[in-house]
Amino acid sequence: MADNIKRTNTITHPRYGCAIGAVFSVAAIPGAVPIANCGPGCVGKQAGIITTASQGTVYPAAGNIPSVNLGENEVVFGGAKKLDTLVKSTLKIMKGDLFVILTGCSGELVGDDVDSVVRKYRNKGYNIVNASTAGFKGNNLYGHEQISIAIIDQFVGDFKGRKRKKLVNLWFETPYFDPFWRGDYSEIKRVLEGAGFEVNILFGSLSKGSESWKNIPKAAFNLLISPWVGLKTVKHLEKKYGQKYLHIPVIPIGEEATTEFLRKVVEFAGIEKSKSENFIKEEAKQYYDFIEHFSAFFSQYWFGLPSKFAVVGDSTYNTALTKFLSDQLGLVPLKNIITDNPPEKYRESIRDVYHNLTEDGLSVEPDFETDGYWIEKQLKETDFGTEIGVIFGSSWEKQLAKDKGLTLIETSAPSANEVVLNRSYVGYRGALTLIEKVYTAAMGSR
Amino acid sequence: MSTRKINLSMSECSNREMRLGTITSWDGSASELLKASDYEDRSAKKTDKCCGKRGRACQLCELNMPFSQETTCAHAMVACQIGNLTDCILVEHSPIGCSAQQHGLNVSMNIGLARRHKQPQTISILSTNLLENDMVFGASNKLRQTIRDAYYRYSPKAIFISMACSTAIIGEDIDSIADELQNELGIEVIPLHCEGFRSKHWSTGFDISQHGILRSIVEKNPKKKQKDLINIVQLWGTDYFSDILKPLGLRVNYLVDMASYDELKQASEALATTTFCHTLGSYMATALEEHFGVPQINAPQPYGIAATDEWLRAIAKVAGKEDIVEEYIESEHRRIQPELDALREKLKGLYGFVMTGSAYAHGLTSVLKELGVGVDGSIVFHHDPVYDSGNENQNTLKFLVDNYGDIPYFTVSKTQPFQLPAILKRSKADFVIIRHGGLATIAAKLGIPSLAMGDESIPIGYDGIIRTGKIILNIIARKRFDRILARHTELGYTDWWLSQEDPFILARHPELLDEENKSVIHTEKENKAVIHTENKAEGVKEVG
């Protein structure tokens, strides 16, 4: 029987949705309204995994997303007419200034001519975009880039003006899917502004919506903070607008990483350094005051603190957490399982992060797994020792953590046991919150 | 045979709109809907109240809206039924997105297991994880592989396969593969034709799940009869039925969620079948009656005093406990009366608004009325003009109207939040009761708090009236939160739409869509769209 258990196409306990899940990326752009050209259940199902950690969504999401709810009639006779009626009524009912049609599996397989519907309304003066997001083409991270590029090509369009030296476009975590994205965007914006930049935010309440998107070509460069999601987008922008990009593969957490990050961005932009250095100095002073206080607890708490940890989650948070926890807190990484299925061409550079974790050369080998069966099997077989062990993962690890007596901290989708509003684990301030979370959870688990 | 309503010989289950004439879009009073439904004649297939649509189905006439918002589908209902069996595995034959709601089902399953005093377990639904090439070249080998994975990894008692939109469109033959793998593995492999585009209402997914269980798992030739066992078609709710039915000497056998293979199998050995909701339970109960000789309880659902009385009497009749039932009923009345009186006093003057699945909404509304809460409107997500049983005593809408009076604004609408501003504007609702997502957030922005009835068992029976009343008191206090929300947030819809009083205006006047569209380009300075909230957002009624 053991011979029959092997790695196959099967996925259980999924940790991502499909491309149509990008409706939530569109909904994260203020003023933008997604129009789902797919079956009746598709959007709701994606909400189950993408709008994770009880973040909630708001209009035009939160159950309000216009959807063709493709039925038998459309499958047999085509769905373009129903889509046309839906678009027409959406424009009348849904307040918004940018409308994005996302076509799912059924629409793509039936082969409806979505472009002609889009053209009709674009000719009438509406801002309307068409994105191909069939679930069989890729996961929600793929979908996120599909809608980004579609909006750039079909709405932002050509640009011939001058670029602004201090304006930078921020390409960062995937809205909703990264549970702490709202807080994290806020912290990264804060530190970049502190260092002297104007930050063009494209998703979330800090964005000016379609205006921010129109401003993309005016920025001096694109800043991508992510292991791989967004690379296609910034490369596309480089080609389209001759706009260079700076790729920071690991999200900075903690003073040292954030300071290094800011210096890198300032250097890349070629702006003057006195403002950023003053900012860094002040942030560091605050940061180490907290760390010094924390050290009094950290170094002499004699009932035991966590030492070993595993991270199971998407590459974005997996890389950043592993780096900070091992390099800055001295926790020992036992297992790093990357679950967001990065395309093969990006995996080597992701592995590199784990090969150079700490300044004294700690190197571990990450695993890429998408099937929960194998993820959980690997964790089951990991020896966490006798001290408090911590798993940074998703709700899928809940029972396993309980069975093994481990502390679970949910940092990745799907997360059913966290309520996240503006919490952030990145930058200067987020690092402090993360330390609070780790040690509060560990003590609470006793 | 010919009089049987449910056909178990085919692997596909006939859609609700075809079997029952189900609709999803209608507006009027409850009594008008009752009349249009023509339950008795429809049951006898004699009604002339048809819209003359395709096939032999006699569909109720409905409003055709040009606009629609995300809902859910039959495929999702199969996952929430079959996926929650404790020792069977569901294989979803589709791209990964069709399985994206799994962890939510894991949460409800584990809460359900705890409520039924069963061991916790992590849900295992397997996806074939189809990609673009599979759409071009077919995906049968992946399905075979995933079925084998399910078998070798988990040793299940049975494996179900669910069809999705994409696999149905490319023509995957899940029936043949099920047969093939059943022979290979020696356990039941059961195909479910639940692709999302198949039926216009998700509740067909309940029927499809039950259809598969009835065809393949329920014992066809039971060797014994369990005279003290009663089937209850239920979701994840707390087990109150055991306590209610114990005095009649009965044990409960819950179907389908969190049931084991053996619990499903023994359904044909039971004395009778009943349910908390005919929307969910009628197909199963009727098929068990017609094909397995297990009678269904011919009574309204157990909500409110009058219905619970009748339901208990009907069960006692089948169980041969007619001698003790009247005394039981009377003692229960006496027991709850003081608490019920106190609650009625506290809830006096309040209005409630129910938006849930169809038959369950009828029951919930009865409970509200029993508590003295006013109900002037409600939304049901679909309407079955008749249930599979065709049983007159199961006409839940009739029972509601006859016993508790008419409801002037009775809307059939499939989780369409955009209609809510207009719908709630014409109601005096102080709170809403919901079970599905997307609606409560609109109510909240209008200053109306919501009771999310996650445990569907709460309102059941005599104690259910008391439980519901107590929860409402807690919910009303949350109005303080919603009042603030209403002050500081917007609904988001266009001013034109928010100025409409008829939630179905576009069905009655589609030409409005062709008028010059002025409300599309919006600025941040535009008036706040909270025009409907003035009365509702101010003042928290102090109760309790």
Side-chain angles (χ1 to χ4, degrees):
Chain A
M1 209 152 183
D3 291 348
N4 290 318
I5 299 181
K6 53 195 176 200
R7 281 176 173 75
T8 64
N9 56 292
T10 300
I11 287 184
T12 189
H13 299 174
R15 286 134 208 280
Y16 49 75
C18 71
I20 200 84
V23 289
F24 295 104
S25 293
V26 174
I29 302 169
V33 176
I35 299 174
N37 181 26
C38 58
C42 304
V43 172
K45 286 190 171 197
Q46 306 321 303
I49 205 161
I50 292 170
T51 65
T52 199
S54 306
Q55 300 167 71
T57 50
V58 296
Y59 173 95
N64 297 280
I65 294 177
S67 172
V68 169
N69 297 342
L70 208 110
E72 203 159 29
N73 199 49
E74 289 73 53
V75 169
V76 178
F77 302 107
K81 188 161 173 276
K82 197 170 179 194
L83 176 66
D84 182 87
T85 312
L86 179 71
V87 171
K88 188 158 74 167
S89 52
T90 297
L91 296 169
K92 190 94 176 168
I93 293 173
M94 302 288 288
K95 190 189 277 194
D97 58 11
L98 173 61
F99 298 84
V100 181
I101 300 173
L102 297 94
T103 298
C105 297
S106 305
E108 293 257 351
L109 290 173
V110 173
D112 289 329
D113 184 4
V114 181
D115 274 330
S116 69
V117 177
V118 169
R119 220 174 301 122
K120 176 176 159 188
Y121 292 97
R122 194 177 288 149
N123 289 342
K124 287 184 178 179
Y126 295 104
N127 299 324
I128 186 162
V129 167
N130 172 23
S132 165
T133 52
F136 53 76
K137 286 191 174 169
N139 69 11
N140 55 296
L141 298 169
Y142 163 84
H144 176 68
E145 294 217 69
Q146 285 292 101
I147 67 100
S148 300
I149 291 169
I151 296 171
I152 290 162
D153 286 349
Q154 300 171 47
F155 169 66
V156 181
D158 295 336
F159 178 77
K160 291 242 150 47
R162 288 175 51 191
K163 297 206 187 312
R164 281 156 44 188
K165 196 172 179 189
K166 287 185 176 176
L167 184 66
V168 49
N169 299 320
L170 180 64
W171 300 95
F172 188 34
E173 295 170 6
T174 306
Y176 297 106
F177 183 64
D178 286 314
F180 310 100
W181 72 283
R182 298 174 70 205
D184 290 351
Y185 269 75
S186 175
E187 174 66 357
I188 294 297
K189 179 172 187 275
R190 187 185 74 84
V191 302
L192 286 170
E193 284 174 352
F197 289 99
E198 282 178 70
V199 188
N200 191 27
I201 303 274
L202 301 159
F203 300 97
S205 63
L206 298 170
S207 169
K208 293 192 182 80
S210 57
E211 188 190 326
S212 297
W213 284 77
K214 277 282 185 197
N215 283 338
I216 287 174
K218 294 180 191 158
F221 65 102
N222 289 294
L223 173 60
L224 172 66
I225 313 174
S226 158
W228 68 274
V229 179
L231 259 174
K232 201 159 63 177
T233 310
V234 295
K235 283 183 176 162
H236 183 73
L237 287 167
E238 184 177 47
K239 221 162 140 190
K240 190 174 177 79
Y241 301 123
Q243 211 170 23
K244 54 188 180 166
Y245 68 87
L246 174 61
H247 181 198
I248 307 283
V250 184
I251 305 173
I253 305 180
E255 188 279 327
E256 292 197 340
T258 310
T259 295
E260 189 195 336
F261 157 76
L262 285 179
R263 286 188 176 138
K264 219 179 256 177
V265 185
V266 168
E267 184 70 39
F268 183 84
I271 63 168
E272 55 100 24
K273 291 176 182 168
S274 62
K275 186 165 183 198
S276 58
E277 286 305 318
N278 280 338
F279 177 75
I280 287 167
K281 205 171 147 195
E282 192 49 43
E283 288 291 317
K285 192 178 147 205
Q286 294 291 329
Y287 181 87
Y288 288 111
D289 181 57
F290 286 112
I291 293 294
E292 198 181 342
H293 279 80
F294 169 71
S295 74
F297 155 81
F298 185 73
S299 48
Q300 54 193 0
Y301 184 75
W302 68 357
F303 301 109
L305 289 175
S307 303
K308 292 180 172 138
F309 72 101
V311 187
V312 190
D314 57 279
S315 49
T316 307
Y317 246 63
N318 202 324
T319 47
L321 282 173
T322 307
K323 182 104 185 156
F324 175 74
L325 296 169
S326 49
D327 187 40
Q328 299 282 304
L329 289 178
L331 291 170
V332 182
L334 287 177
K335 202 85 209 159
N336 296 84
I337 306 174
I338 293 164
T339 59
D340 57 347
N341 199 19
E344 205 53 56
K345 60 182 171 186
Y346 300 131
R347 292 193 180 185
E348 205 42 52
S349 64
I350 294 171
R351 281 192 193 98
D352 281 348
V353 176
Y354 296 88
H355 294 162
N356 302 285
L357 277 177
T358 62
E359 60 181 75
D360 54 347
L362 180 64
S363 171
V364 296
E365 201 54 48
D367 298 289
F368 293 89
E369 294 276 10
T370 55
D371 182 0
Y373 179 81
W374 296 106
I375 293 168
E376 287 146 42
K377 193 166 171 16
Q378 289 204 46
L379 287 171
K380 261 181 217 155
E381 290 164 359
T382 302
D383 180 7
F384 282 79
T386 51
E387 293 172 296
I388 299 167
V390 184
I391 298 182
F392 295 84
S394 72
S395 303
W396 287 126
E397 283 72 57
K398 191 179 173 186
Q399 191 58 42
L400 183 138
K402 215 168 162 185
D403 294 344
K404 286 187 74 113
L406 302 170
T407 298
L408 172 65
I409 297 178
E410 293 183 9
T411 48
S412 194
S415 167
N417 306 292
E418 286 280 342
V419 178
V420 176
L421 279 76
N422 73 342
R423 202 185 323 156
S424 165
Y425 289 155
V426 310
Y428 294 112
R429 292 181 180 172
L432 301 174
T433 310
L434 178 59
I435 293 171
E436 287 175 351
K437 178 74 185 179
V438 171
Y439 291 92
T440 304
M443 289 168 81
S445 73
R446 302 193 73 80
Chain B
M1 282 296 276
S2 61
T3 57
R4 283 182 178 171
K5 286 163 184 158
I6 289 180
N7 179 2
L8 292 182
S9 65
M10 309 279 288
S11 79
E12 295 193 20
C13 156
S14 163
N15 286 353
R16 242 173 224 232
E17 50 268 47
M18 302 300 281
R19 284 193 340 264
L20 310 174
T22 299
I23 55 165
T24 59
S25 186
W26 190 92
D27 202 27
S29 71
S31 57
E32 284 163 357
L33 184 59
L34 179 62
K35 201 171 158 202
S37 299
D38 202 8
Y39 189 102
E40 287 172 35
D41 281 353
R42 196 173 295 269
S43 169
K45 301 207 182 302
K46 285 193 298 198
T47 187
D48 54 359
K49 296 190 173 66
C50 300
C51 269
K53 289 201 178 154
R54 38 182 195 164
R56 59 193 169 84
C58 172
Q59 195 160 341
L60 207 62
C61 301
E62 62 184 327
L63 294 158
N64 183 18
M65 287 290 280
F67 184 66
S68 54
Q69 293 169 307
E70 51 175 300
T71 69
T72 180
C73 64
H75 184 272
M77 296 307 106
V78 163
C80 89
Q81 296 264 290
I82 302 300
N84 274 188
L85 297 174
T86 57
D87 52 5
C88 301
I89 296 282
L90 173 63
V91 168
E92 297 186 323
H93 189 33
S94 41
I96 195 64
C98 297
S99 304
Q101 89 294 17
Q102 260 184 42
H103 95 288
L105 301 177
N106 185 48
V107 173
S108 38
M109 180 177 183
N110 274 279
I111 288 173
L113 286 167
R115 285 176 182 153
R116 304 275 170 85
H117 313 294
K118 291 187 170 187
Q119 285 301 307
Q121 66 176 85
T122 305
I123 201 172
S124 295
I125 298 175
L126 273 57
S127 167
T128 52
N129 182 31
L130 303 185
L131 304 171
E132 192 159 16
N133 270 346
D134 304 315
M135 297 298 129
V136 181
F137 302 110
S140 299
N141 281 335
K142 283 195 172 175
L143 177 57
R144 289 185 183 97
Q145 181 60 54
T146 300
I147 293 170
R148 289 185 188 115
D149 288 344
Y151 179 77
Y152 290 114
R153 291 179 186 181
Y154 301 100
S155 312
K157 297 261 177 70
I159 294 170
F160 291 82
I161 307 165
S162 70
M163 186 81 106
C165 295
S166 55
T167 35
I169 293 172
I170 65 169
E172 286 290 292
D173 184 359
I174 62 170
D175 286 10
S176 300
I177 292 172
D179 282 348
E180 179 192 324
L181 271 289
Q182 180 161 313
N183 289 334
E184 178 186 320
L185 302 175
I187 59 167
E188 295 284 351
V189 179
I190 305 159
L192 301 175
H193 294 270
C194 57
E195 55 274 19
F197 63 76
R198 189 188 148 92
S199 172
K200 68 180 182 181
H201 197 260
W202 65 73
S203 54
T204 291
F206 298 140
D207 310 336
I208 295 167
S209 307
Q210 295 165 6
H211 188 80
I213 291 168
L214 287 157
R215 272 170 53 85
S216 303
I217 297 186
V218 176
E219 179 60 54
K220 290 185 178 62
N221 303 301
K223 290 180 190 67
K224 54 172 182 182
K225 207 67 181 159
Q226 300 188 52
K227 295 261 180 208
D228 61 342
L229 190 71
I230 183 163
N231 297 319
I232 311 241
V233 187
Q234 187 79 5
L235 295 168
W236 307 271
T238 299
D239 172 27
Y240 296 121
F241 280 106
S242 285
D243 283 345
I244 297 174
L245 295 173
K246 208 171 178 181
L248 298 180
L250 295 172
R251 293 177 296 126
V252 300
N253 185 42
Y254 281 115
L255 314 170
V256 168
D257 288 298
M258 290 102 54
S260 65
Y261 181 88
D262 289 340
E263 286 167 328
L264 299 175
K265 190 175 174 177
Q266 68 173 352
S268 55
E269 296 172 5
L271 175 75
T273 306
T274 187
T275 179
F276 87 107
C277 170
H278 291 312
T279 293
L280 182 77
S282 186
Y283 192 86
M284 188 87 178
T286 304
L288 281 169
E289 185 168 79
E290 290 180 345
H291 294 266
F292 298 86
V294 178
Q296 59 183 313
I297 297 304
N298 185 4
Q301 308 165 130
Y303 299 101
I305 290 170
T308 305
D309 291 352
E310 286 201 28
W311 178 78
L312 278 173
R313 285 188 187 112
I315 292 174
K317 195 172 169 190
V318 177
K321 299 282 180 181
E322 282 165 298
D323 52 332
I324 58 165
V325 74
E326 291 306 325
E327 198 188 317
Y328 175 40
I329 289 170
E330 264 175 53
S331 77
E332 287 294 278
H333 287 189
R334 277 197 304 276
R335 184 174 63 80
I336 65 158
Q337 198 60 47
E339 231 178 333
L340 182 56
D341 288 341
L343 280 168
R344 281 176 178 159
E345 190 56 36
K346 286 177 183 167
L347 294 166
K348 199 181 272 176
L350 280 181
Y351 275 79
F353 192 101
V354 176
M355 10 191 195
T356 69
S358 182
Y360 187 62
H362 306 157
L364 269 176
T365 306
S366 308
V367 172
L368 292 183
K369 293 270 197 170
E370 203 73 73
L371 287 162
V373 172
V375 180
D376 56 6
S378 65
I379 297 173
V380 293
F381 300 143
H382 76 289
H383 177 69
D384 301 319
V386 63
Y387 299 122
D388 280 300
S389 69
N391 217 320
E392 282 167 43
N393 290 334
Q394 290 184 2
N395 189 348
T396 49
L397 184 61
K398 183 173 191 307
F399 190 88
L400 174 65
V401 173
D402 285 355
N403 286 273
Y404 299 99
D406 200 5
I407 295 166
Y409 298 109
F410 200 87
T411 306
V412 183
S413 173
K414 197 173 62 168
T415 57
Q416 297 295 299
F418 80 104
Q419 293 182 315
L420 270 191
I423 286 175
L424 287 175
K425 191 184 173 188
R426 63 194 188 185
S427 162
K428 293 181 198 151
D430 295 289
F431 65 93
V432 297
I433 301 184
I434 55 113
R435 269 181 66 80
H436 289 239
L439 300 169
T441 54
I442 297 274
K445 285 181 175 181
L446 295 167
I448 306 172
S450 60
L451 193 179
M453 195 67 90
D455 181 347
E456 80 278 3
S457 298
I458 286 170
I460 285 166
Y462 303 111
D463 286 308
I465 309 169
I466 306 298
R467 282 190 292 266
T468 306
K470 287 179 178 170
I471 293 173
I472 292 168
L473 294 175
N474 295 337
I475 295 302
I476 288 297
R478 293 188 198 164
K479 195 164 186 162
R480 299 181 178 104
F481 175 86
D482 297 303
R483 179 177 59 182
I484 290 161
L485 196 66
R487 271 188 215 140
H488 300 283
T489 60
E490 294 181 28
L491 284 169
Y493 291 94
T494 61
D495 292 346
W496 175 82
W497 177 248
L498 291 174
S499 71
Q500 300 304 315
E501 289 179 358
D502 178 2
F504 289 92
I505 184 89
L506 289 174
R508 295 187 232 274
H509 296 286
E511 71 279 4
L512 285 172
L513 282 181
D514 296 318
E515 286 178 6
E516 192 55 35
N517 207 335
K518 288 173 186 144
S519 54
V520 164
I521 307 301
H522 306 279
T523 68
E524 287 180 13
K525 284 174 192 156
E526 205 161 342
N527 291 339
K528 287 212 162 193
V530 286
I531 47 172
H532 300 303
T533 66
E534 289 153 15
N535 298 329
K536 299 205 167 111
E538 292 309 316
V540 176
K541 205 174 280 175
E542 291 293 342
V543 286

